[in-house]
Amino acid sequence: MTVDRTMRFRGVPAGWATPLLLLAILPALCGAGEFTGVRGRVAIRGEVVPGVTVTAWKEFGKGLASVPFARSEPTNAEGIYSLPLPPGSWFLAAAGAGDLSATGPAEGDLFCYYGGNPVRVEPGRATNVGFNMVRVAIDPEPGIPHGVSGVVYDEQGEPLAGGTVYFYRSPADGFRGIPGFFARVGQDGSFRARIRKGSFFVIARKRGSGELFGPTEIGDYFGYYTRNPVVLKEGEAVGIRIDAVPRLGMLEKFEGFAAQGRGIPLLVQVTDSSGRPVPGVRVLAYRKEGMTGFPAYVSGKSGDDGRADLTVLDEGTYFLLAREKLGGPAEAEWYGKYAGSPDHSLEVRKGTTPAEVRIAVERR
């Protein structure tokens, strides 16, 4: 395979000239010896991969058909890449075929959509992002008269039993909120979602904890359907294959530096009215005061100590509530809103957000 080892910015319209100029002069702005952007290693089943390029998008609403901002030079013999980027939030994917914006990945191509997208780049700092690649395979035939069906595979190409397939309208929040639909994966790795129509980004997760929602840990599986988004016409049936890989901590380190945290972590203490910890409750973060519809972020269930870990992507104002169930009216469950402000809002800022937030719940 012949690889173009020059920096490429294919498919970028004239209106992007200013950002590209900023990209070119970025090292001078940040100071000598400093690097602003992303870097890391690329591997498949534990073996580093040379000749892979990493692409960055500012917006990813059309999937790989979105307009790319920049591509790295191919990874070297040690599987290492480096991609300078202006500060901000970026969607990243790695591919052995280079430019995927026109046709998408073909059968046999190496591909990985980074499961921690969007990635935050800070001025004068290197954000370390590792890619655990999969080899793109053909999709199966539909297994139901209408909707989306398919099979989830692990990194060895074996059906991945258990887990869940999620259908999101947009990748904007990093697939961290409540999806439009979800379907359980069976013991044979298969799933079926009887959706009538729509456009969805489809991903698969298998958490070691068995939880449907909440943060993923080292060893948990994540799979991104390589031909997202799936566009389903009225009454149509689509078959898809999702290859999921475990989250590997070693790929998120580079030259001895640990990966920077993804987003802003919040530790929430859930208690009853007497201050006793309440386990099994999730914390939901909304962007609007009404706290209806899909939340922007959802924590895992609180433990026996009542603590739940909630991570939000960006600084801003969030409206918090805790409840035992997801969806529908709150009935016969633990439920409560954050009482630290009259409108139940919390200002989240890096370095200034309280170390622990408390929410009191009661039975409804």
Side-chain angles (χ1 to χ4, degrees):
M1 179 179 66
T2 301
V3 178
D4 177 7
R5 293 186 176 275
T6 60
M7 183 72 77
R8 287 163 287 177
F9 303 100
R10 299 183 188 136
V12 179
W16 288 64
T18 300
L20 289 176
L21 178 60
L22 174 60
L23 185 65
I25 66 174
L26 193 58
L29 294 177
C30 293
E34 295 184 343
F35 175 85
T36 299
V38 293
R39 62 182 184 180
R41 284 191 173 90
V42 175
I44 181 169
R45 294 190 294 275
E47 298 292 331
V48 296
V49 184
V52 169
T53 57
V54 175
T55 302
W57 292 264
K58 194 65 176 176
E59 303 289 342
F60 201 68
K62 296 181 180 179
L64 296 176
S66 305
V67 177
F69 184 87
R71 292 187 185 89
S72 73
E73 293 184 358
T75 51
N76 63 17
E78 288 75 41
I80 294 173
Y81 76 93
S82 180
L83 177 58
L85 291 169
S89 293
W90 301 93
F91 293 87
L92 304 174
D99 185 359
L100 298 176
S101 59
T103 60
E107 182 182 357
D109 287 345
L110 291 177
F111 178 80
C112 179
Y113 173 91
Y114 180 58
N117 281 328
V119 172
R120 185 73 183 174
V121 172
E122 303 290 347
R125 299 181 66 182
T127 300
N128 306 301
V129 177
F131 292 90
N132 198 2
M133 308 292 284
V134 300
R135 195 168 293 281
V136 177
I138 61 173
D139 289 320
E141 292 295 322
I144 51 178
H146 68 269
V148 182
S149 61
V151 183
V152 181
Y153 292 90
D154 65 14
E155 72 275 24
Q156 302 299 328
E158 298 293 331
L160 182 63
T164 308
V165 174
Y166 303 84
F167 296 77
Y168 291 89
R169 298 285 186 180
S170 166
D173 283 332
F175 308 126
R176 291 173 174 85
I178 300 296
F181 303 91
F182 65 86
R184 291 285 197 173
V185 178
Q187 291 302 305
D188 60 353
S190 68
F191 67 92
R192 294 172 176 81
R194 298 185 183 278
I195 304 169
R196 296 204 62 84
K197 63 178 181 179
S199 177
F200 306 95
F201 284 80
V202 186
I203 69 164
R205 289 190 181 100
K206 182 180 180 181
R207 296 177 172 86
S209 65
E211 292 289 328
L212 275 172
F213 304 101
T216 56
E217 307 293 341
I218 301 298
D220 289 350
Y221 278 84
F222 175 87
Y224 175 91
Y225 177 54
T226 56
R227 299 179 178 92
N228 272 325
V230 173
V231 179
L232 190 68
K233 298 177 182 178
E234 178 74 37
E236 185 180 13
V238 175
I240 67 175
R241 170 182 174 134
I242 304 176
D243 289 275
V245 294
R247 179 182 167 189
L248 301 177
M250 65 182 181
L251 288 179
E252 297 180 358
K253 296 181 180 179
F254 182 76
E255 296 179 353
F257 295 95
Q260 297 174 24
R262 312 288 187 241
I264 307 170
L266 300 175
L267 180 60
V268 182
Q269 172 81 32
V270 182
T271 68
D272 63 16
S273 58
S274 300
R276 292 187 294 258
V278 178
V281 175
R282 300 181 191 276
V283 180
L284 285 58
Y286 291 85
R287 297 188 185 278
K288 296 183 179 180
E289 183 176 354
M291 290 188 279
T292 58
F294 294 157
Y297 304 102
V298 181
S299 77
K301 289 183 178 180
S302 57
D304 291 339
D305 59 359
R307 287 181 167 85
D309 294 316
L310 174 70
T311 299
V312 301
L313 186 63
D314 298 311
E315 296 181 323
T317 301
Y318 294 92
F319 301 87
L320 306 181
L321 68 79
R323 62 180 301 184
E324 192 174 0
K325 301 176 183 178
L326 292 174
E331 297 177 353
E333 64 171 298
W334 289 108
Y335 183 95
K337 298 180 179 179
Y338 173 62
S341 63
D343 61 356
H344 316 294
S345 68
L346 176 70
E347 287 291 328
V348 176
R349 298 282 181 256
K350 290 183 178 179
T352 61
T353 302
E356 184 173 282
V357 177
R358 179 166 294 188
I359 301 179
V361 295
E362 60 182 16
R363 282 287 184 185
R364 301 193 66 163

